[in-house]
Amino acid sequence: MAEMTRQKFAGSSTYIVSEPLMEAVNLSIALEKPLLLKGEPGTGKTMLAQAIAESLGKRLIVWNIKSTTKAQEALYHYDTVQRLYDSQFGTEGVEEIRRYIHLGKLGEAFRSEEQVVLLIDEIDKADLEFPNDLLWELDQMEFFIPETRERVQARHRPIVIITSNGEKDLPDAFLRRCIFHYIEFPDPELMEQIVRVHFPQIEEHLLEGALKAFYQVRGQKGIRKKPATSELIDWIRALALSGIPEERLREALPFAGVLLKKKEDLDLIREKR
């Protein structure tokens, strides 16, 4: 646990962290295991990796996962097309294969001269075998490039943050290798702290009224897409810029389209008010 005393995450100037989440991050760093984060959209899963990098003074490498992403892309890419093109035009050094080997995000993290924070964002977007295809590399912190017969080993084990929106179940073998944490949606007290980070000079009546209306909307039965933190921040910014009087905020929901993104939700809220 000595590593935890050297590198301890306690939030950043722009990210308010709960005690359980802070403990999960520091445990992940100490045990040198990936931190797998789940939680509804808007709970700050992706922003956490940015905050860790900022707090610990480390470079952030982001690997955004898509439905077509393959695990091999994280390691390296052999650009055979460029090599063929160069050979046709007599480019010097075409016989040197290393020139055409380009490291992926995981390879870049392994080769870094200093420890980095690696974010594997929305891992559940890829196919079911994708997480298992990364098991060896994440466990052993190395991979082999057959074209150059070169073994790439991590100079420093990266701090790995993995996010999932829960769209697919991840394999048990993968889950066993991770520290897991579910980020609960902020309660009003924590949300107030988050808002104050973004709006240090916010008027008390605006903050109180906006938070009350926001949680009422989130708690409304039948809402299909609950507004998240990012919508609340945008909504408060719109309210502040417009100078909405306090009584109108109590009676109506101004700029509802900033909070709600589905017509059905807008219609439901208008019916209730």
Side-chain angles (χ1 to χ4, degrees), residues 140-168:
Q140 303 300 316
M141 287 289 149
E142 65 176 36
F143 61 89
F144 186 67
I145 303 178
E147 291 83 357
T148 60
R149 303 191 61 78
E150 178 184 10
R151 189 170 300 280
V152 177
Q153 294 178 310
R155 292 169 177 163
H156 305 277
R157 180 178 286 267
I159 298 170
V160 181
I161 307 298
I162 303 171
T163 71
S164 169
N165 285 327
E167 295 178 5
K168 298 174 186 172

Side-chain angles (χ1 to χ4, degrees), residues 14-155:
T14 57
Y15 194 97
I16 303 297
V17 62
S18 67
E19 190 70 28
L21 178 55
M22 184 169 57
E23 290 176 353
V25 171
N26 288 317
L27 188 61
S28 169
I29 294 173
L31 297 180
E32 297 185 330
K33 288 180 174 290
L35 175 61
L36 174 61
L37 298 171
K38 285 190 177 183
E40 67 175 272
T43 49
K45 300 187 296 297
T46 299
M47 289 181 63
L48 176 64
Q50 300 169 356
I52 294 172
E54 176 189 327
S55 173
L56 301 182
K58 299 185 182 298
R59 182 164 67 98
L60 174 65
I61 296 177
V62 180
W63 186 21
N64 293 305
I65 306 303
K66 302 176 182 178
S67 60
T68 55
T69 300
K70 302 298 180 185
Q72 174 64 32
E73 297 173 25
L75 309 181
Y76 74 96
H77 169 63
Y78 176 28
D79 195 346
T80 54
V81 174
Q82 184 63 50
R83 190 182 184 207
L84 177 61
Y85 179 85
D86 289 348
S87 66
Q88 291 174 339
F89 287 89
T91 302
E92 187 176 343
V94 70
E95 68 282 352
E96 182 56 57
I97 296 179
R98 281 187 176 84
R99 291 183 55 188
Y100 303 95
I101 299 293
H102 306 291
L103 293 178
K105 299 296 186 179
L106 199 57
E108 184 183 345
F110 285 4
R111 276 286 173 85
S112 175
E113 295 291 343
E114 298 180 346
Q115 186 185 46
V116 301
V117 177
L118 173 65
L119 170 62
I120 303 176
D121 202 22
E122 298 189 327
I123 194 172
D124 50 331
K125 280 189 174 180
D127 63 44
L128 292 175
E129 289 305 313
F130 176 83
N132 281 337
D133 291 343
L134 287 176
L135 287 179
W136 169 266
E137 288 76 16
L138 289 177
D139 260 355
Q140 303 300 316
M141 287 289 149
E142 65 176 36
F143 61 89
F144 186 67
I145 303 178
E147 291 83 357
T148 60
R149 303 191 61 78
E150 178 184 10
R151 189 170 300 280
V152 177
Q153 294 178 310
R155 292 169 177 163

